[in-house]
């Protein structure tokens, strides 16, 4: 079972470049989330989606955009990368809201130079 | 300021010791979860608590949800090196749309 798959796993960007991170889940989950995790820190919510075609801002949305055109995919875009966006990005999917378990991908390590 | 505050941030103990990690908030949560994260991996769920005052046990780990559903604790008895990792609490305030995490407690258990 694939579960939650993130691509790419590693990426180095130059300041000002753009890129898209892809999160794909094969569990038919409704909710999907994008987080960033800085060294030694917890996870901060960037954007999330409660269903196909819907997105909402999290705690730290500035500098990022998202799209959920298909239920199984949640894309995170950086339009103009900045060094402050150097981080490890995690995607999670949840069957429904409330107390359901969140399933995480392996993470994408992004470095902006 | 994070919605969920965890303490301590770091904890280094010897094998066999007991420890407690706290997760506090000024907000009421409909549920709280505890996750454990290994280096290079995503977090993995340990437990979910949904009822105020609820206590759940998972082998040597005991989880408690505060009566007012604003805080939670994780107690580990006789810690082992295999318990080493980053422990994260997470909560949903309302029906569960926004799942937010605490800053984490990094635990190191020395043999």
């Amino acid at each position: 079972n694939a579960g939650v798959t993130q691509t790419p796993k590693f990426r180095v960007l130059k300041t000002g470049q753009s890129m898209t991170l892809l999160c794909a889940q094969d569990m038919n989950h409704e909710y999907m989330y994008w987080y960033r995790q800085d060294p030694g820190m917890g996870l901060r919510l960037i954007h999330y989606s409660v269903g196909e075609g819907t997105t909402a801002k999290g705690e730290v949305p500035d500098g990022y955009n998202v799209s959920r055109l298909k239920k199984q995919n949640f894309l995170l875009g950086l339009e103009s990368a900045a060094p402050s966006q150097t981080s490890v990005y995690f995607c999670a999917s949840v069957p429904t809201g409330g107390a359901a378990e969140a399933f995480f991908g392996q993470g994408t390590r992004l470095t902006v130079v | 300021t994070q919605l969920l505050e965890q303490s301590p941030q770091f904890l280094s103990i010897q094998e066999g010791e007991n420890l407690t990690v706290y997760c506090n908030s000024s907000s009421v949560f409909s549920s709280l979860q505890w996750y454990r994260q290994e280096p290079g991996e995503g977090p993995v769920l340990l437990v979910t608590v949904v009822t105020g005052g609820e206590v759940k046990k998972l082998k040597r780990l005991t989880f408690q949800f505060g009566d007012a559903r604003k805080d939670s604790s994780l107690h580990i008895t006789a810690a082992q090196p295999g318990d080493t990792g980053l422990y994260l609490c997470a909560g949903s305030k309302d029906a569960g749309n926004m799942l937010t995490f605490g800053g984490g407690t990094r635990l190191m258990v020395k043999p």
Side-chain angles (χ1 to χ4, degrees):
Chain A
N1 293 335
V4 180
T5 303
Q6 291 182 231
T7 53
K9 289 183 170 49
F10 302 93
R11 185 72 186 268
V12 178
L13 282 181
K14 292 183 179 180
T15 297
Q17 285 185 320
S18 63
M19 78 163 294
T20 300
L21 282 67
L22 170 64
C23 177
Q25 54 98 359
D26 61 1
M27 298 172 284
N28 201 35
H29 286 175
E30 290 294 332
Y31 290 47
M32 296 185 76
Y33 301 84
W34 274 109
Y35 296 90
R36 60 176 288 173
Q37 185 174 37
D38 298 314
M41 305 284 287
L43 282 73
R44 290 187 292 169
L45 181 62
I46 305 172
H47 286 281
Y48 63 101
S49 168
V50 300
E52 181 179 315
T54 73
T55 62
K57 293 180 180 180
E59 302 165 283
V60 288
D62 294 343
Y64 305 95
N65 57 76
V66 289
S67 64
R68 184 101 180 267
L69 298 179
K70 293 183 179 181
K71 186 177 183 179
Q72 64 268 32
N73 296 335
F74 195 28
L75 279 65
L76 177 69
L78 285 73
E79 292 181 344
S80 180
S84 60
Q85 294 178 304
T86 293
S87 190
V88 180
Y89 291 84
F90 284 99
C91 173
S93 73
V94 181
T96 60
E101 176 179 0
F103 293 84
F104 284 83
Q106 295 280 68
T108 296
R109 184 173 296 276
L110 175 66
T111 301
V112 183
V113 298
Chain B
T1 303
Q2 290 194 268
L3 195 58
L4 287 166
E5 297 286 342
Q6 286 188 240
S7 61
Q9 288 183 292
F10 303 97
L11 194 54
S12 180
I13 61 173
Q14 294 294 134
E15 182 176 1
E17 292 184 7
N18 301 332
L19 68 117
T20 302
V21 175
Y22 300 92
C23 175
N24 296 303
S25 177
S26 58
S27 300
V28 176
F29 286 83
S30 58
S31 65
L32 271 180
Q33 299 175 319
W34 285 92
Y35 290 79
R36 182 176 158 208
Q37 185 179 21
E38 304 271 5
E41 303 286 332
V44 175
L45 181 70
L46 294 173
V47 78
T48 300
V49 286
V50 298
T51 306
E54 182 177 3
V55 176
K56 280 192 175 179
K57 292 192 175 183
L58 187 65
K59 296 184 181 178
R60 294 175 294 100
L61 278 61
T62 302
F63 304 86
Q64 185 162 6
F65 201 10
D67 291 340
R69 291 187 289 127
K70 293 183 179 181
D71 54 82
S72 181
S73 64
L74 158 59
H75 182 79
I76 301 179
T77 303
Q80 299 177 0
D83 295 327
T84 294
L86 180 65
Y87 289 82
L88 297 157
C89 66
S92 299
K93 282 180 66 179
D94 42 29
N97 288 354
M98 221 168 103
L99 182 62
T100 55
F101 280 77
T105 294
R106 189 165 298 280
L107 172 65
M108 178 176 290
V109 182
K110 301 175 184 176

